[in-house]
Structures are given as C-alpha cells and as structure tokens.
Amino acid sequence: MAPHQRSEAKPPAGQDLPCGADLLAWRQRQLALGGRAADLDWLIDLGGGLPWTALQSLRLDPSASVRLSQSLDGLEQLWRRHLSTAEPLQYLVGLCPWRDLQLLVAPGVLIPRQETELLVELALAVREGDPPQLWADLGTGSGCIARALAQAWPLSRGLAVELSPGAIAIAQENLRANLQAKQVELLQGSWWEPLRPWWGQLEVVVANPPYIPTAVWADLEPVVREHEPITALDGGADGLEALRAIAVDAKAALAPGGWLFVEHHHDQSTAVQALLADHGLGEVTAHPDLEGTSRFVAVRRPLP
C-alpha cells in the first residue's frame, strides 16, 4: 500500500505536538513493533490527517510544529490492532483513497484496488466525448466505480447492482456525496437480474466480479483472506463462476453496439475472451493492468 499523496489542506483540530521530531520518534517506535513503513505512513495520513508529503518535510525541519486530527495514542491503538489481527487499515480508519475520491469502507465491503481504476478509464475512453444515456455497474460493492462514472458523466443515468445489503448501505453513502438525486440508482440483486426492465438499453456496463479461484483464495494473505468478504473474492474452482453468469445474459442486456468491460484474474484472459465470444459478443479485446498483465476484457454487442 503506497502512501496516499493529496493536497496539504490543514487537518481538522486535534492534538498539538511540540515538534516534528516527536512524531518521527513515535513513528520509529511503531515500526519497531513490526509492519511496513508505507502502511504506517498511510495511517498517519488518513487516520491522523498529516499528508505523506508533510511527513517527509519533517525530516528536513524536525523542529516544525505538528497538528494531528487524532492523538498518537489513538493511532498507536489502531497500528497495534492491525499488527495483531491483520485487519486492513482501511477498515480501521473507515476510508480508502481511490482515483480522486475518498471512499467510505467497512468490513463486508471489498476494499477498492488501484488496478480497478483502469476499468473506469477503459469505459470512459470508449465513450470519450459521447457519454451514454444509460450505464450500469454490476457488483458495485463500495460504489467506487459507479461514483467515478457518475462524476465523469453527470448527465447520464447509472444503475448500480449489488447483492449484499451491507455493501449497498456503504455504496449509498459514497454515491450520495456530490451527486445529483437519482443520478445513480442502487438495485439489490444478482448481476443482470435487477436490470431486466432496462435490458437492451444498457450502453456501457462495467463489472469487477469475484474471480479468484478458491484454492488461490485459500492462500491469500490474512489481511485479505480473513477480513475481506469472500463473496467478493472467491470465484469458484476455476474463478469463472461469476463471469459465466455475466456472459450468459450480456448480449440480451446490452444495447445494440453496447460495451461490457470486465476485470478478471491475471491468468484468465484467454478463457474470459472465449467465454464472452461464445455468447455472441464481438470486438473482444484484452487490456493490461498497471504491470502490463492482461487483466481486463472489453466486448461489444454487435449492431443489427
């Protein structure tokens, strides 16, 4: 987890420290307990209100005064809890920076990943200068993708589908911020089913379904396996269960010429492309993630 860099607005009122040297010494004591420096710096940033760039500047001027939005005792309790239970810091703080957004997250909701930002970019690129009238996000989770698309397409209507009631509650909060009423409608259910009234009208659809094979999920690090929702991660024996369900009805649900963008496991590109093509979708294209690995597939419903 890289420290989140953002503008250095003044943090809210909190605990004053005599100088930056005190914070740097506290930081060294916490790292002696274990964990990664990048994760602790993230906690100081999002949990303490001190941006990463400001923390770095203290090394040049350790006598500078520091103001935190949470006491060092409070931050230490969160850090020790993270080390002892492997709970994600995003859950402990309740926030996750993603793209240019700051999202609410909580146990039961998948923590947005940096790679998934590219799924948004693919959708935006294919309709650059021509926003769709109607788009959908399948398995919205925290609502991160839906929020980003709604922000980019303020005059378009969005439909965000999610099965988990707990995730819907979080998504509702994330979508409420700075969005017009009814700009995005949340629908509870599985994949395409809640969207039946709009089948044949969906111009752009994005999906980040569970795609990790069960055996791979069982070997994930405890911070993921023991705390993030299995229903958002485990894609069955081969990781393709959800992707099969999405492929079956994709042609019927998409508008003629409509696009579907899906994220998948790092070794599933060939299988996902074939699966979608077998269900009547065309212009099948693989796209790479941040490391150059094929991680996304774009397909289109053929025009009449």
Side-chain angles (χ1 to χ4, degrees):
M1 182 192 310
H4 176 57
Q5 299 189 34
R6 53 187 167 88
S7 61
E8 294 185 21
K10 290 184 179 180
Q15 182 192 39
D16 286 306
L17 298 175
C19 65
D22 296 324
L23 176 60
L24 295 174
W26 174 89
R27 179 179 178 275
Q28 289 304 116
R29 292 195 298 273
Q30 304 315 304
L31 290 176
L33 300 174
R36 301 191 312 163
D39 292 342
L40 180 58
D41 292 346
W42 187 97
L43 177 62
I44 294 171
D45 182 347
L46 271 295
L50 186 71
W52 183 80
T53 50
L55 177 63
Q56 301 311 303
S57 69
L58 294 178
R59 302 179 188 279
L60 299 177
D61 185 12
S63 63
S65 60
V66 177
R67 190 164 179 78
L68 297 174
S69 59
Q70 185 172 178
S71 70
L72 290 181
D73 286 344
L75 292 175
E76 182 170 344
Q77 288 178 19
L78 294 178
W79 183 244
R80 286 178 176 272
R81 183 170 167 182
H82 169 68
L83 294 179
S84 64
T85 67
E87 290 178 78
L89 288 170
Q90 291 92 334
Y91 288 163
L92 294 177
V93 174
L95 296 172
C96 180
W98 190 79
R99 282 176 59 88
D100 57 346
L101 306 172
Q102 188 159 286
L103 300 164
L104 298 177
V105 291
V109 177
L110 186 70
I111 296 170
R113 265 58 172 185
Q114 187 178 12
E115 288 80 6
T116 305
E117 296 179 10
L118 297 180
L119 193 60
V120 174
E121 297 302 325
L122 290 173
L124 296 180
V126 79
R127 296 301 297 254
E128 187 174 5
D130 181 28
Q133 292 186 16
L134 185 65
W135 56 266
D137 175 19
L138 303 181
T140 195
S142 67
C144 59
I145 294 174
R147 171 75 186 278
L149 292 179
Q151 188 168 286
W153 294 329
L155 301 181
S156 302
R157 184 184 182 193
L159 303 168
V161 176
E162 175 57 48
L163 186 61
S164 165
I168 285 180
I170 294 295
Q172 184 66 62
E173 292 298 317
N174 285 322
L175 291 170
R176 184 177 298 164
N178 300 321
L179 295 183
Q180 301 174 16
K182 299 297 183 181
Q183 188 177 343
V184 180
E185 183 177 353
L186 276 167
L187 303 167
Q188 186 173 6
S190 179
W191 309 125
W192 301 107
E193 192 59 33
L195 298 173
R196 276 190 178 274
W198 299 277
W199 278 23
Q201 304 174 50
L202 300 167
E203 298 170 59
V204 174
V205 178
V206 293
N208 180 22
Y211 53 68
I212 299 176
T214 301
V216 176
W217 172 86
D219 288 333
L220 293 177
E221 294 182 357
V223 69
V224 176
R225 187 186 69 249
E226 296 179 5
H227 297 284
E228 294 197 66
I230 184 174
T231 53
L233 294 167
D234 186 352
D238 62 357
L240 297 176
E241 284 186 5
L243 287 158
R244 289 192 188 93
I246 291 171
V248 167
D249 293 319
K251 185 177 180 181
L254 290 171
W259 288 92
L260 169 65
F261 301 90
V262 298
E263 182 172 335
H264 56 74
H265 204 235
H266 66 83
D267 56 359
Q268 293 172 343
S269 183
T270 300
V272 173
Q273 290 181 66
L275 179 63
L276 294 168
D278 287 346
H279 285 85
L281 298 168
E283 299 185 42
V284 183
T285 309
H287 294 273
D289 62 14
L290 296 169
E291 296 181 354
T293 301
S294 292
R295 176 78 70 166
F296 311 97
V297 170
V299 292
R300 196 178 192 189
R301 176 179 169 177
L303 291 167

